[in-house]
Amino acid sequence: MHRNRNWILTGPEPLSFDDVAAVLSEHTGRPIVHRSIAPAELTACGVASLDERIARGLEARTTPFVEEITGERPRSLNDFAATLTRSA
């Protein structure tokens, strides 16, 4: 079942980097911001094309794989972050 599969695991909604920063800020009570990095800097790290695709929303998707693998619906980032701050 898992051999030679490319599992893209996602939560129930697509999120941008700014969305993730906002959710984490809300739950930690600390300002968290996403800082865009210039393509030239990313090229030096070898991740420029991936980051540009993500920034344009080309990876903004959800998949059924979490539920397919675990039998449970994925939690939202908001729900997950709430559990972290309750246990801290």
Side-chain angles (χ1 to χ4, degrees):
M1 173 181 180
H2 303 291
R3 184 179 291 270
N4 297 322
R5 293 281 309 258
N6 183 16
W7 298 100
I8 309 277
L9 303 178
T10 69
E13 72 271 340
L15 299 169
S16 69
F17 293 135
D18 290 331
D19 294 336
V20 171
V23 169
L24 295 176
S25 292
E26 177 185 337
H27 286 281
T28 63
R30 300 173 68 180
I32 298 171
V33 297
H34 166 248
R35 182 179 70 86
S36 294
I37 299 173
E41 290 178 77
L42 291 171
T43 300
C45 300
V47 295
S49 65
L50 175 60
D51 193 69
E52 286 176 315
R53 286 192 340 239
I54 291 169
R56 287 194 316 264
L58 294 176
E59 295 294 324
R61 60 182 163 159
T62 61
T63 67
F65 299 137
V66 168
E67 190 166 5
E68 186 177 317
I69 294 167
T70 67
E72 304 213 6
R73 294 179 56 94
R75 288 187 289 173
S76 68
L77 178 63
N78 191 53
D79 290 345
F80 174 74
T83 66
L84 294 177
T85 55
R86 280 197 297 263
S87 63

